[in-house]
Amino acid sequence: MTLVIAMDGPSGSGKSSVSKGVARALGLRYLDTGAMYRAVTWWMLREGVKVEDPAAVAARAGEPDLRCGTDPDDPAISVGDTDVSRPIRTPEVTGAVSAVAAVPEVRERLVALQREIIGIGGIVVEGRDIGTVVAPDAPVKIYLTASPEVRARRRSKELSGATVSATQADMARRDRLDSTRKADPLTRAADAVEVDTTSLALPEVISEIVQIAKGADAGASVREALSSEERP
Ligand code: DC
C-alpha cells in the first residue's frame, strides 16, 4: 500500500483544514468521509425518510448514488447529478447526521465505498473510524484533538450566526452520540499519534504531520529494501 494518512478526531479539532493542507503539501488525494455521511443524510431528508428510525434508514441505505471527488482544492460531492457540497452543511443535515451515521447498514455501504476510493493509497482520509475500521493498515494514523472551547470557537466561526455556547452544547451532544454508538464509534486507534491543536496555528499542525508522514514513508522504504535483501 502506498501512503495512506488516516486523520481521525472529533468535529472542530481542525481535521478538514489540516487534512487538505497535508494532502496539498505531499501531493496526495483527499477524502472527507464526514461529507459522505452528510450526503446520505441530505438524501434521506429529501426523500422524507424518518431519520430517527434506524429500520427506515437501513431499508433505504443502498439507494443514494454518491460521487466523491478527491482533489484537496475542490472536494466535490454529489448525489446522482446534484452537487450537494453546500446543502450538506445546513443545520438540518448537521442535526440529523449522527443518527444516520449510527445505522450499521449505512456504515457498511460507506466503508466499502471509502475502501474503493482509497484503492492503492496516495491519500489523506479524514473521519472518525479511519485508523480503526476503514484503513487499519494505514502507515500513518493521526488523532487530532483540541479543547472543547477552542473547537466550539472554530466551528461557530464557520457557522455564521451560531453563538459559541450553543455550538459547544451541540458539539458535546454529537460527540456523545458519535463515541457511544455501537457501530464503529469514534475512538483513537492504539497506534495513532495524538496531536493536540489547541494552541497550534494551522501551518504548525500541517508541518508536524508532514514530518511524521515523511518519517513513516522513509521507514517503509527502508523496510522494503531490507526485506528485498533478505530474499534469495
Ligand atoms: O466531520 P463531520 O462533522 O462532517 O461528520 C459528520 C458526521 O458524520 C459526524 O456526526 C460523525 C459522522 N462520521 C462518522 O460517523 N464516521 C466518519 N468516518 C466520518 C463522520
Side-chain angles (χ1 to χ4, degrees):
M1 192 184 253
T2 55
L3 190 55
V4 174
I5 302 181
M7 192 84 76
D8 291 302
S11 51
S13 55
K15 277 194 317 285
S16 292
S17 318
V18 172
S19 301
K20 283 183 217 161
V22 170
R24 272 185 214 117
L26 294 170
L28 300 173
R29 297 179 296 140
Y30 160 75
L31 181 65
D32 176 2
T33 62
M36 298 170 78
Y37 287 95
R38 287 173 178 274
V40 170
T41 305
W42 172 86
W43 182 89
M44 294 279 170
L45 292 171
R46 193 196 64 178
E47 293 290 304
V49 176
K50 288 207 177 70
V51 292
E52 61 287 351
D53 175 0
V57 171
R60 315 260 336 244
E63 289 182 49
D65 168 25
L66 290 197
R67 300 173 192 179
C68 315
T70 56
D71 176 353
D73 290 317
D74 177 26
I77 181 148
S78 326
V79 181
D81 292 329
T82 312
D83 176 355
V84 294
S85 32
R86 287 166 85 86
I88 60 171
R89 307 287 164 194
T90 58
E92 289 72 28
V93 171
T94 301
V97 64
S98 287
V100 173
V103 175
E105 287 79 358
V106 170
R107 304 202 68 83
E108 244 166 64
R109 174 143 191 262
L110 291 191
V111 168
L113 191 54
Q114 287 155 14
R115 288 185 178 148
E116 224 173 83
I117 296 170
I118 293 170
I120 58 154
I123 193 163
V124 181
V125 188
E126 68 155 286
R128 304 289 194 287
D129 59 344
I130 310 305
T132 49
V133 175
V134 177
D137 296 331
V140 179
K141 297 183 187 178
I142 308 290
Y143 191 84
L144 284 190
T145 57
S147 73
E149 295 77 7
V150 164
R151 289 172 50 210
R153 229 178 293 139
R154 287 179 187 155
R155 260 293 146 107
S156 54
K157 253 195 219 155
E158 284 167 25
L159 312 163
S160 47
T163 66
V164 175
S165 60
T167 308
Q168 193 168 334
D170 182 58
M171 284 171 90
R173 180 189 68 86
R174 282 213 290 148
D175 282 356
R176 206 165 40 246
L177 289 172
D178 293 339
S179 14
T180 56
R181 68 172 178 233
K182 284 213 186 74
D184 313 341
L186 166 67
T187 44
R188 173 182 175 292
D191 51 351
V193 177
E194 185 161 330
V195 178
D196 185 340
T197 67
T198 305
S199 49
L200 294 177
L202 180 61
E204 295 177 290
V205 183
I206 293 173
S207 90
E208 186 169 336
I209 295 170
V210 165
Q211 291 317 313
I212 295 171
K214 283 186 175 162
D217 226 19
S221 319
V222 171
R223 278 193 297 281
E224 217 166 85
L226 287 175
S227 68
S228 63
E229 266 174 29
E230 281 160 14
R231 275 181 223 130

